[in-house]
Amino acid sequence: MVDYFNSRILLQPSDVPKEWVNILPDLPTPMTPLINPMDGKPAPFEMACAIFPKECVLQQVSEELNIPIPKKLREIYASTYRPSPLHRALGLEKELGIEGDKIKIFYKNESFSPTGSHKPNTALAQAYYASKEGVDTLITETGAGQWGSGLSYGCNLFGIKCIVYMVRASFLQKPGRKILMMSYNGEVYASPSRFTDAGKMFYDKNPEHPGSLGIAISEAVEHSLRSNTSRYVLGSVVNFVLLHQTIVGQETKIQLAKAGVEKPDVLIGCMGGGSNFGGFMIPFVRDKLYGKLPDVEIIGVEPRACPSVCKGEYRWDYGDTAKKAPILKMHTLGHTFIPSPIHAGGLRYHGMAPIISNLYQNKIIKATMHHQTEVIKAALQFARVEGILPAPETAHAIKETIDQALKAKENNEKKVIVFNFSGHGYFDLLAYKEFMDGNLIDYELPSIDIKNALSDPEMPIIDESQF
Ligand SMILES: *Cc1c(COP(=O)(O)O)cnc(C)c1O
């Protein structure tokens, strides 16, 4: 019997996790360091601290299994939006013809945050540490605008100025996100801009250049190095961001247990830089590595237009286009990658979080990819029965969830499928309009383009024997 009155699993503000789960000590092969782009050697601590807040640099390489969440930060999470709800997707189950308790679908709802996604989880943490360290300005890039809004919100709470370089394609497609950032006192520039050397290289050739996350990162890093009271911050990819996001997976575990699920079968999340998927699945990965959840299948979903893990190579690459940000070992399509303007703006990064790349190489997690039209179709199918219109990024996870549920139905299997609902799509309505108007087309990144980008003579070669 379906228990309707226990289908939205809520926790109390006092249940906000007290620690973050640090997966670094558990990784089957050691984590690779951040490399200084100037000399190809591991970035010294002082150098990393000139770029990022110091506490984040410490967390980036921490060997502690669990890292305490500062009390002040837990108070803010608790008094604003955490813990977020876990929903049983009863409407979607009915829609797919799987009512009953044989196949269950749950989703963790990170769209419940003030800015509509999981991004404030780390934005608040980074702004908190920056304010404690006397930093007065945080500078960043944003693709779809979710990270820029999350950070503007976080910075404003802690009295820090926030400057955002927004990929021009999104700047034009999503004026709403820009207004939201400005509402939190954020300063927003279209990237490539005239204000940095990295931006000018592209801007002078073409003032309407659509931009890319790689270029916007170069601009933000360059800008942050102008003053010693400003820092660059990132909304994804690096270890400390995934660490901050592990509150999502920890809450999910408690909520599933409350719903009577001790062992989920499939965990799904969309992957851009890997932070929402990472934060959602890392607490379960630890259980998998410790033999408590040996059979759980963990699947990250990418767009076919930007398949860093599914089609890229695992190798050293620059984090940005202008080669100013640290070099990372990760799955990459090459730092020269300029994405086609597909709508899932947050999934258009050329690389992938080193933690995700490591877990994938070690076959702890899997990856798959979908076309944007089937993804948007799945999003609308979800919205019609569950109510919330998903962000196009999130919709990748929904498409895979639907496929998995239908496969289980066909094979007459018993399954619990849980996905991370990373954010809502109320600022992404243009993507839905394009779909409805029949203007959305599928785009698959040609293998030859990937091959060319990765054979770029400027791909870094790092001597691994030095560490
Ligand atoms: C930023 C964003 C993503 C992609 O980034 P990850 O670091 O891979 O999570 C996905 N969904 C939403 C709603 C986002 O805002």
Side-chain angles (χ1 to χ4, degrees):
M1 277 291 284
V2 172
D3 181 1
Y4 290 92
F5 292 97
N6 196 21
S7 61
R8 240 165 3 104
I9 301 106
L10 305 175
L11 299 175
Q12 294 301 316
S14 55
D15 295 324
V16 167
K18 295 193 171 59
E19 297 174 320
W20 288 303
V21 174
N22 181 21
I23 200 69
L24 297 181
D26 293 325
L27 291 176
T29 50
M31 176 48 49
T32 47
L34 295 178
I35 298 290
N36 177 357
M38 306 298 283
D39 64 6
K41 300 209 165 80
F45 181 69
E46 301 74 35
M47 183 197 172
C49 293
I51 306 180
F52 303 113
K54 183 175 150 212
E55 196 61 36
C56 297
V57 176
L58 292 169
Q59 291 172 351
Q60 177 70 14
V61 294
S62 171
E63 284 294 318
E64 299 292 323
L65 280 172
N66 299 296
I67 297 179
I69 304 178
K71 180 155 174 283
K72 175 84 198 149
L73 200 51
R74 286 190 68 234
E75 284 172 3
I76 293 180
Y77 288 141
S79 61
T80 47
Y81 66 99
R82 298 217 74 88
S84 68
L86 180 80
H87 306 245
R88 172 97 181 259
L90 291 171
L92 184 61
E93 290 178 13
K94 187 159 171 232
E95 161 81 8
L96 301 177
I98 52 169
E99 300 113 299
D101 277 334
K102 193 152 179 191
I103 303 168
K104 295 180 185 172
I105 301 175
F106 291 89
Y107 61 98
K108 176 68 167 164
N109 187 1
E110 289 298 304
S111 79
F112 197 68
S113 84
T115 60
S117 78
H118 62 290
K119 298 295 199 309
N121 298 335
T122 183
L124 288 166
Q126 295 190 52
Y128 165 77
Y129 287 125
S131 73
K132 274 199 23 173
E133 292 166 20
V135 170
D136 59 20
T137 310
L138 288 179
I139 304 161
T140 197
E141 74 289 335
T142 196
Q146 290 270 22
W147 168 237
S149 342
L151 189 68
S152 301
Y153 159 66
C155 282
N156 197 59
L157 278 190
F158 289 100
I160 291 176
K161 183 169 164 182
C162 182
I163 299 175
V164 183
Y165 286 89
M166 184 172 189
V167 175
R168 177 168 284 105
S170 308
F171 187 88
L172 299 173
Q173 278 168 3
K174 299 183 185 183
R177 276 283 163 200
K178 183 178 136 202
I179 296 165
L180 186 62
M181 288 184 250
M182 291 166 65
S183 308
Y184 299 122
N185 290 322
E187 246 175 59
V188 192
Y189 304 117
S191 165
S193 77
R194 290 174 287 127
F195 311 122
T196 66
D197 293 341
K200 262 176 84 66
M201 274 188 355
F202 296 94
Y203 183 89
D204 287 348
K205 269 185 241 153
N206 175 13
E208 273 144 52
H209 193 294
S212 71
L213 274 173
I215 298 171
I217 295 173
S218 302
E219 292 207 82
V221 172
E222 180 183 330
H223 191 150
S224 71
L225 293 171
R226 283 183 200 153
S227 149
N228 57 12
T229 55
S230 59
R231 292 289 182 278
Y232 168 67
V233 286
L234 258 159
S236 188
V237 182
V238 287
N239 305 344
F240 62 82
V241 172
L242 272 66
L243 175 81
H244 299 157
Q245 293 294 355
T246 58
I247 41 182
V248 176
Q250 292 183 74
E251 289 174 8
T252 305
K253 262 169 76 172
I254 300 168
Q255 288 163 310
L256 282 174
K258 278 185 87 167
V261 177
E262 293 297 337
K263 293 192 173 175
D265 299 291
V266 189
L267 301 172
I268 297 170
C270 64
M271 300 194 292
S275 76
N276 86 82
F277 177 55
F280 172 65
M281 58 80 174
I282 280 172
F284 295 95
V285 162
R286 175 168 286 171
D287 287 353
K288 182 168 177 158
L289 292 169
Y290 289 9
K292 279 192 248 166
L293 276 182
D295 301 322
V296 66
E297 204 180 344
I298 306 174
I299 307 170
V301 192
E302 301 185 303
R304 278 190 180 268
C306 186
S308 320
V309 176
C310 294
K311 290 212 173 160
E313 284 177 19
Y314 183 52
R315 60 188 284 182
W316 294 96
D317 196 7
Y318 297 97
D320 68 328
T321 308
K323 303 183 281 193
K324 288 176 191 295
I327 298 170
L328 310 159
K329 189 158 186 187
M330 60 183 174
H331 286 89
T332 180
L333 297 167
H335 61 277
T336 55
F337 170 73
I338 302 279
S340 81
I342 60 156
H343 278 283
L347 303 183
R348 285 185 291 184
Y349 184 60
H350 65 273
M352 183 52 63
I355 290 178
I356 305 270
S357 296
N358 180 305
L359 291 170
Y360 181 80
Q361 282 306 103
N362 284 296
K363 301 195 164 46
I364 311 292
I365 62 172
K366 298 178 184 171
T368 185
M369 52 187 173
H370 292 296
H371 270 307
Q372 70 169 350
T373 52
E374 53 189 17
V375 160
I376 295 293
K377 242 182 250 165
L380 289 168
Q381 193 178 11
F382 179 91
R384 285 168 190 148
V385 290
E386 292 291 330
I388 320 173
L389 190 71
E393 292 87 345
T394 309
H396 288 72
I398 297 175
K399 165 67 183 155
E400 181 60 23
T401 298
I402 292 175
D403 286 0
Q404 290 282 337
L406 292 177
K407 195 174 82 185
K409 179 183 171 187
E410 204 178 296
N411 298 337
N412 202 17
E413 287 169 307
K414 202 165 176 286
K415 269 225 162 121
V416 176
I417 304 168
V418 192
F419 74 94
N420 194 27
F421 192 96
S422 56
H424 68 60
Y426 297 118
F427 290 91
D428 307 289
L429 296 176
L430 195 62
Y432 288 96
K433 178 180 185 308
E434 299 266 284
F435 176 80
M436 290 168 192
D437 291 348
N439 292 336
L440 213 56
I441 44 164
D442 286 333
Y443 174 80
E444 181 140 6
L445 187 63
S447 302
I448 185 74
D449 288 8
I450 303 175
K451 207 169 147 234
N452 287 341
L454 291 172
S455 61
D456 182 320
E458 296 193 74
M459 287 295 285
I461 297 179
I462 304 299
D463 172 14
E464 293 194 18
S465 68
Q466 63 179 319
F467 41 80

